[in-house]
Amino acid sequence: MVSLTADMSPLHPDRNLALELVRATEAAAIRAVPFVGRGDKEAADGAAVDAMRAFFTTVDFDGTIVIGEGEKDNAPMLYNGEKVGSGRGPQCDVAVDPIDGTTLTAAGRQNALSVIAVSDAGSMLDASTVFYMDKLVTGPEGVGVVDIRLPIGENIRLLSKALGKPVEEMVVSVLNRPRHEQLIQEIREAGAGTRLMSDGDVAGGINAARHNARTDMCVGIGGSPEGIVTACAIKALGGHIQGRLRPRDDVERQKGADAGLKFDDYVYEADDLVRGKNTIFVATGVTDGQLVGGVRREGDFLYTESVVLRGASGTLRWISSEHLTSKWL
């Protein structure tokens, strides 16, 4: 008699669920395509939200959105706390970003993704009351080596040694924001190079954690929801992620404190962001990027590229799909 592990149990998200969720990110990406480069990020996001939510109803799981489009009053669909799925199957926490990079999509720039992350019910940190998080992400070599509390130059030198790579060959991804001017200067003064991202720090974090990636580390202040989503992917890659919440004002700090969140120098480790290994991360490219290619049309067909990461098995799968254009018109 074979005993059921947590991974095999029907009460937990499994590989079938992971592959089903790809249909939802594909749909969101495809529906966003008519708005690429059109300058209307709200329209692009609205189309992606509608498509993702419609496909959720066909998936057998009992999901609760922990990280969504916002509070119910401001987000009529895919809002925090909304139930998604058929209601049958495993109970799950769900994080969605129908378009991670709405500004990128509106401008027609690279690295826009449609993203879903899933974990066991009650395992995701709900940091929705605090918008920003300071993050540090590396691959497996950074585990037990780098620490977000250390100066960036020291972390670069420590990771350089662990990788067996000269400091001058190290590349660090950072969102290109005025708040990061000092951080960028310190990275360059340490001898490393920078890859400045206009948006899309989920892709930046995953690329830093992947084997043989072009970047070695992703650092800086970005969205708290993106930090939780990235943690789901990092679990599958065996990488390292840490975060510190950065409230924008006293009001936000109080809201976070009321929700049980911790501030100042408290460091959220990977297991604080998402408990356990039973995580799923799914992303489909809206526009071309380092992680996956964007949606493209060739005659009667639409082509999509997706990535699926499962923490339980430590696997990364690339999925290329071909869709009849007539089914989407």
Side-chain angles (χ1 to χ4, degrees):
M1 180 177 178
V2 178
S3 63
L4 290 176
T5 66
D7 183 44
M8 295 168 63
S9 168
L11 299 178
H12 295 266
D14 61 13
R15 63 179 62 84
N16 293 327
L17 175 58
L19 296 177
E20 281 292 296
L21 291 173
V22 173
R23 297 167 59 238
T25 55
E26 287 176 343
I30 289 171
R31 289 302 188 195
V33 165
F35 303 95
V36 172
R38 302 291 180 173
D40 191 344
K41 66 179 184 179
E42 285 80 12
D45 192 53
V49 168
D50 289 344
M52 181 175 284
R53 189 169 186 266
F55 269 80
F56 266 143
T57 63
T58 71
V59 181
D60 282 339
F61 77 124
D62 184 2
T64 301
I65 293 182
V66 175
I67 298 169
E69 291 292 281
E71 297 301 322
K72 183 177 181 179
D73 291 343
N74 298 318
M77 292 188 291
L78 299 182
Y79 56 83
N80 299 346
E82 183 177 357
K83 301 292 289 186
V84 292
S86 68
R88 301 183 299 272
Q91 294 183 337
C92 303
D93 284 352
V94 183
V96 300
D97 199 343
I99 303 180
D100 176 37
T102 53
T103 300
L104 298 175
T105 302
R109 297 202 297 266
Q110 292 188 336
N111 291 317
L113 301 169
S114 177
V115 175
I116 298 171
V118 169
S119 64
D120 289 325
S123 63
M124 260 184 213
L125 177 70
D126 182 357
S128 58
T129 52
V130 179
F131 189 78
Y132 284 116
M133 178 185 289
D134 187 12
K135 289 164 274 189
L136 183 153
V137 183
T138 75
E141 295 83 1
V143 176
V145 174
V146 298
D147 192 296
I148 198 170
R149 288 162 286 211
L150 295 175
I152 186 62
E154 186 172 350
N155 276 326
I156 290 170
R157 289 186 289 273
L158 288 169
L159 187 59
S160 167
K161 183 177 179 180
L163 290 169
K165 185 176 184 178
V167 168
E168 58 268 23
E169 294 181 13
M170 298 283 288
V171 179
V172 181
S173 291
V174 190
L175 281 171
N176 191 12
R177 299 286 188 274
R179 62 178 178 266
H180 289 148
E181 288 180 2
Q182 181 63 31
L183 176 61
I184 292 167
Q185 181 180 336
E186 290 176 5
I187 292 168
R188 292 170 176 170
E189 287 176 351
T194 55
R195 174 159 288 167
L196 302 184
M197 304 177 291
S198 57
D199 283 288
D201 62 337
V202 171
I206 294 171
N207 282 325
R210 285 175 53 206
H211 176 64
N212 288 336
R214 295 180 182 178
T215 55
D216 304 293
M217 186 185 301
C218 184
V219 297
I221 298 172
S224 297
E226 287 82 357
I228 311 303
V229 170
T230 303
C232 288
I234 300 306
K235 291 272 186 164
L237 296 169
H240 176 72
I241 182 169
Q242 293 176 308
R244 292 184 293 193
L245 292 170
R246 291 290 183 253
R248 291 171 288 185
D249 51 38
D250 290 340
V251 173
E252 191 171 81
R253 175 181 284 269
Q254 188 58 54
K255 286 182 178 179
D258 292 343
L261 299 176
K262 301 177 182 179
F263 305 109
D264 301 319
D265 287 330
Y266 184 84
V267 175
Y268 283 90
E269 304 286 349
D271 284 334
D272 298 317
L273 299 172
V274 186
R275 295 194 305 275
K277 296 182 179 179
N278 210 28
T279 61
I280 294 171
F281 173 90
V282 177
T284 300
V286 177
T287 59
D288 286 339
Q290 295 178 39
L291 188 61
V292 286
V295 181
R296 72 181 194 277
R297 180 173 180 174
E298 294 181 9
D300 294 332
F301 297 95
L302 291 163
Y303 296 89
T304 57
E305 291 186 15
S306 305
V307 61
V308 177
L309 291 155
R310 291 187 64 239
S313 57
T315 55
L316 182 155
R317 289 183 173 88
W318 305 102
I319 297 177
S320 297
S321 302
E322 181 180 283
H323 314 260
L324 276 172
T325 305
S326 59
K327 301 294 184 180
W328 291 92
L329 297 178

